[in-house]
Amino acid sequence: MSTMECRSLEITVASAKGLKKVKHLSKMDVYVTVKLSGDPAYTGQLEHRTHVAKDGGTSPTWSNSAFTFTIREALANANRLVITFKITCDRSNKDIGEAHVPVRDLLDHVGADKAGQRYITYKVKKPNGKPRGEINFFYRFGGQMTRTGGAGGFAVHAPPLPTHNPAPYPWPRAPALAQLLPSWGSFSYHGCSPSPPPSYSYHTVAPPHMPPAGYPTVARPMGYQAEGPPAGYPPVDPPQVPPVVYPPRGAYGF
């Protein structure tokens, strides 16, 4: 990859004058194809076309015909870039003539500041050199920009994507203490019903509160992780702590 100094070049086709009339046609409907050549690394849009000037005859005009190219100044100053204007008759699909404009001539014509729009006229000729009229167009250069060139052409440096933070990972669910204790039916009481007393209820206390009166201090439930969330997840403040469930205290101290 290598960086290159580039500029944008805007071409606006305005009109043509004194075109050679196509034989056997009473009316001439013509259009202009504008093409940039000379840069083998550029893979963008190299060719544009104006609309057809209906009944324009030998002096057609065009509107809304502004086209933009990206040029490398090093190639332009080396006189390797050329803008070609080809005028074609739409009725017969016959080429009337072409004008070949070196980009270096356009750079020299605007001066050192390379600013502002210019109007210029070039001769239209056949490939054998015979004159076929004139073409008039406006052009302007944009400011300098740096691009990276590779095997696939130019690529503009894209801005970095915004950093995405993953959603907080849920804390592991700790098993309730009641799930770790034997069930009521696993105890044998002489003459006592295995069913819980009528005042059976659960008291839910979340750390760091103390357990109800008469209960010993209960350690944190198995599965609780106090060292933080898994790797790659942001810390959660305050920590999400699962509640501790205390079983009812019966008449026999269980």
Side-chain angles (χ1 to χ4, degrees), residues 5-193:
E5 295 298 325
C6 304
R7 286 183 183 273
S8 62
L9 170 59
E10 182 184 273
I11 300 288
T12 303
V13 181
S15 62
K17 181 179 179 181
L19 298 180
K20 182 68 175 182
K21 188 175 180 180
V22 179
K23 294 181 180 180
H24 311 299
L25 289 179
S26 58
K27 295 182 180 180
M28 282 189 13
D29 301 335
V30 297
Y31 62 87
V32 181
T33 303
V34 187
K35 181 179 179 180
L36 170 66
S37 59
D39 190 345
Y42 189 78
T43 58
Q45 181 71 16
L46 297 179
E47 186 173 292
H48 301 277
R49 171 180 161 173
T50 68
H51 63 87
V52 177
K54 294 290 185 179
D55 299 330
T58 59
S59 299
T61 59
W62 295 273
S63 59
N64 301 322
S65 58
F67 312 117
T68 302
F69 301 92
T70 300
I71 65 166
R72 285 196 281 172
E73 283 197 89
L75 296 179
N77 291 327
N79 203 23
R80 293 175 55 184
L81 300 183
V82 176
I83 299 290
T84 300
F85 300 83
K86 183 169 69 174
I87 304 178
T88 304
C89 179
D90 186 58
R91 289 178 179 266
S92 62
N93 200 30
K94 184 176 180 180
D95 293 338
I96 298 175
E98 298 180 358
H100 301 276
V101 182
V103 176
R104 189 175 70 175
D105 290 356
L106 302 181
L107 284 169
D108 294 341
H109 187 68
V110 296
D113 58 350
K114 307 293 187 295
Q117 188 178 62
R118 299 292 190 274
Y119 179 84
I120 196 167
T121 299
Y122 265 79
K123 297 292 184 180
V124 176
K125 298 179 181 180
K126 292 288 287 184
N128 58 12
K130 291 184 178 180
R132 285 296 183 266
E134 299 176 345
I135 186 168
N136 308 306
F137 62 93
F138 297 91
Y139 73 95
R140 79 166 75 236
F141 288 96
Q144 286 187 341
M145 51 188 171
T146 302
R147 292 197 173 187
T148 301
F154 295 153
V156 181
H157 290 291
L161 296 176
T163 304
H164 174 69
N165 294 324
Y169 189 81
W171 287 74
R173 294 178 61 88
L177 185 59
Q179 298 175 359
L180 306 177
L181 298 177
S183 63
W184 284 89
S186 63
F187 288 91
S188 176
Y189 304 100
H190 299 288
C192 298
S193 172

